[in-house]
Each structure stands twice: as structure tokens, then as C-alpha cells.
Amino acid sequence: MPFIVFLVVVIVLISTTIRIVSEACAMVVERLGRFHTVWRPGIHFLIPFADRIAKRINLKEQVADFPPQPVITKDNVTMRIDSVVFFVITDPKLYAYGVENPIAAIENLTATTLRNIIGSMDLDTTLTSRDEINTQMRSLLDVATDPWGIKVNRVELKNILPPEAIREAMEKQMKAEREKREAITLAEGKKEAAIQTAQGNKEATILNAEADKKKTILAAEAQKEKEIQEAEGRAQAILSVQRAEAEGIRLLKEAGADDAVLRIRSLETFAKVSNGKATKIIIPSDIQNMAGLLSSLKETLVSPSAPVTDSAPEAKTSSSSTSDAPEEVNGNEEV
């Protein structure tokens, strides 16, 4: 029986003296009422009745979600803001002996710091400066919690709750802003459509003008080509007529035509000229000689038995006598 009691006492002592510290944990050990050491992860031995575990500490990063705190902005608007603080314990001894309730201390410190920062901003700046507020709070809280063995990694504002009247005014303002942007967008769309329409009309007018210009140029070139062709045709006709006349003269010369034939041809030409629209005709002095020649030819045709040698001198004499009269009046006669 005494052996069993002794064995039980030994087991109890062993169970109370051996301690195993888990990972990411720490234990603050006091000996005889005073701080002795900090146990890190591993196995440790506790002296019975002398050593005592004062505090078990979690070394993981922790999250403290604080309820909404009333704050007042620079323009005297009261709102409620709730925040979240991410922190980690870096010194278990300071955390155990630095402050009585570290979480409550962080909450109060967060509220006062938040009031100080928001008090220097107006409502619009507060609503649009979350990052700036988070950065300032993290910096101030980290400095303030160093003596407590706590490092603040991040501070986030979860919700910013302005009063109901302010929210309604903000909603109306946002609605008006949206309607304004809608009106501006519609006006810009109509403006762009009008510009595009005007641009299209301008380009169409330019294209029509260019088409009319090309059409006019082509018509002028066609008219020019037509006139050139007509002029070349007339010139070719005149050239052909002149060539025919020259060929006729050449043939007459080759045929050995005498002066009588030439004068008859001149008379035919004069007859053609007199049939025109001219009001004044200049008759050459040789026309009377041709008239005498015609009379001689007539007498020859009427009297075929008469000798040609007798009539020819008479025609020549008549022609000479008739040709002398016009020569006395400068060789020309006007009719």
C-alpha cells in the first residue's frame, strides 16, 4: 500500500513538472512570484511549488474586430466607423506585464486615434480617403503598442456609416450626377452625329463637285476633239478640192488647151460668181474679148459653109475693137 501511494505521488509530480509548448505558442514562467523565463515551443521542466506558468500566449497573427465608433468630421457631421486591426505579439513578457487587457487597450487606442484623424477631415474627404486613414492609423497604433510587445500590421475601416439624412442627400446627389452625365453623354452623342452628318454632306458635295468638274472637262475635251476632227475634215475637203482643181489645170495644160478654151472656162467661173450674194462685181477687161470670141464661135456654128479663115480675122478685129473701149476706162468696168 505505501508503495502504491508513493507511485501515485511520483506520477503526479512528473505530470506537473513536464510541460510541452506547442508551435506558435509561448509561456511566461514565474518563479517564486517573479518573472523567470519565457518557454518557446518544445519540452520544459517545471519545479514544483516554485515555478508557475503565468500566461499562455498565442504568437500567431490575430484579428480584432471592433464595433462601430461614433466620430465627428471637420464639418460637424457625426458618423459611425467600425475598424479591424491585424496584430501579432512579438514580446510575450511585455504582452504579459505591459498592460492589463491588451485587446481592450487596442480598442480604446483605435477609437481615439480614429477620432483624431477623422476630426481633421471633412465628410467628402473621409469617404474618399480610406487608404490614407488606414495608413495613418497603422503607423500611430504600431508606435503606441510597442511597449506592450504588440506589432500592428494592418488597420482597415470596414464601414463608414453617415447619418440617414446625409445618406439620402448623397443618394440624391449621386442620382443628379448620373442624370447630368447621361445628359452630357446624349448631348455629345447628338453633337458627334451632327458632326458626322455634316462631314458626310461635305464629302458628298466635294465628290459631286469633282464629278461635275470631270464631266465638264470630259465634255470640253470631247467638243474640242469634235471641232478638231471637223476642222481636219474641212481642211481635207478643201485640200481635195484644190488637188482636183490643180489636177484639172494640169490636165488642161497636158491637153494643150488654147486661149479660147481658157477664156470660156473663165466665163463659166464668172457666171458662177455672179450667181452669189455679192452686191458688187468687178468685171475684168478681158471679158469683152471673151464675148467677141463667143460671137465668132456662134457665127462659125451658124454658117458652116463660110471659110474659117475669113471669120477668124473678123472675130479678132471685132474682139480688138471691143476690147479697146474698156481699156480707155482704166481696163475695168463695175456693174
Side-chain angles (χ1 to χ4, degrees):
M1 185 66 182
F3 178 76
I4 296 175
V5 173
F6 176 76
L7 184 60
V8 170
V9 171
V10 170
I11 293 173
V12 170
L13 290 176
I14 291 174
S15 61
T16 55
T17 47
I18 297 176
R19 292 288 186 271
I20 298 176
V21 181
S22 302
E23 186 67 30
C25 292
M27 293 183 181
V28 178
V29 179
E30 295 179 350
R31 178 170 292 177
L32 299 176
R34 299 180 62 182
F35 172 77
H36 174 61
T37 186
V38 175
W39 285 352
R40 300 293 178 177
I43 185 169
H44 300 274
F45 295 96
L46 184 69
I47 298 176
F49 309 110
D51 295 340
R52 182 180 72 89
I53 298 176
K55 198 174 188 65
R56 291 179 174 84
I57 299 173
N58 185 5
L59 299 180
K60 297 177 183 179
E61 185 173 8
Q62 303 178 48
V63 180
D65 188 0
F66 302 130
Q69 302 292 330
V71 294
I72 301 175
T73 62
K74 185 178 181 181
D75 49 357
N76 297 323
V77 177
T78 301
M79 62 177 62
R80 299 177 67 83
I81 300 177
D82 56 343
S83 57
V84 179
V85 178
F86 298 82
F87 66 94
V88 64
I89 299 172
T90 57
D91 193 334
K93 177 182 177 181
L94 294 178
Y95 182 77
Y97 299 105
V99 65
E100 179 62 27
N101 191 345
I103 303 299
I106 293 174
E107 180 180 359
N108 292 325
L109 185 61
T110 302
T112 56
T113 304
L114 185 61
R115 290 190 181 100
N116 291 334
I117 295 174
I118 299 299
S120 61
M121 299 180 178
D122 54 15
L123 177 62
D124 294 336
T125 306
T126 302
L127 296 175
T128 58
S129 304
R130 285 176 175 261
D131 292 339
E132 182 180 352
I133 296 173
N134 294 338
T135 302
Q136 291 185 22
M137 288 188 63
R138 190 205 67 79
S139 178
L140 294 175
L141 290 176
D142 190 24
V143 173
T145 55
D146 278 344
W148 305 339
I150 298 173
K151 177 176 178 55
V152 178
N153 293 330
R154 294 182 63 187
V155 178
E156 296 290 340
L157 300 182
K158 286 179 61 178
N159 297 309
I160 299 177
L161 305 175
E164 186 67 24
I166 299 297
R167 288 201 297 270
E168 292 178 357
M170 291 171 61
E171 290 175 358
K172 292 179 181 179
Q173 181 182 2
M174 183 59 64
K175 182 179 179 181
E177 189 69 23
R178 289 196 184 98
E179 292 177 351
K180 176 184 176 182
R181 288 199 297 267
E182 180 183 4
I184 293 174
T185 303
L186 291 176
E188 290 179 351
K190 292 180 180 179
K191 176 183 176 182
E192 187 68 22
I195 291 174
Q196 293 296 333
T197 302
Q199 187 70 21
N201 294 333
K202 176 183 176 182
E203 292 178 358
T205 304
I206 293 173
L207 292 176
N208 291 332
E210 291 180 353
D212 294 340
K213 178 182 176 182
K214 291 181 179 179
K215 180 179 179 181
T216 304
I217 293 174
L218 292 176
E221 291 179 352
Q223 184 66 24
K224 176 183 175 182
E225 188 67 22
K226 178 182 177 182
E227 292 177 357
I228 291 173
Q229 294 295 333
E230 291 178 352
E232 289 179 354
R234 289 193 297 269
Q236 189 68 26
I238 294 171
L239 183 60
S240 299
V241 171
Q242 295 295 329
R243 286 179 179 174
E245 292 178 354
E247 184 66 19
I249 294 171
R250 186 182 64 80
L251 293 175
L252 288 175
K253 287 182 178 181
E254 290 179 356
D258 54 2
D259 293 340
V261 176
L262 295 177
R263 288 179 180 179
I264 291 172
R265 297 284 294 182
S266 300
L267 182 61
E268 292 175 354
T269 304
F270 179 73
K272 292 180 181 178
V273 172
S274 63
N275 290 332
K277 298 180 180 179
T279 58
K280 182 182 290 187
I281 301 175
I282 300 174
I283 300 175
S285 60
D286 294 340
I287 193 66
Q288 296 181 359
N289 297 332
M290 286 189 287
L293 178 60
L294 291 175
S295 333
S296 301
L297 291 175
K298 181 178 180 183
E299 291 176 0
T300 304
L301 294 174
V302 171
S303 303
S305 60
V308 179
T309 56
D310 294 337
S311 61
E314 291 178 0
K316 183 177 180 182
T317 306
S318 173
S319 144
S320 302
S321 61
T322 54
S323 62
D324 293 335
E327 289 178 357
E328 294 178 355
V329 246
N330 296 328
N332 293 326
E333 181 178 357
E334 294 184 0
V335 178

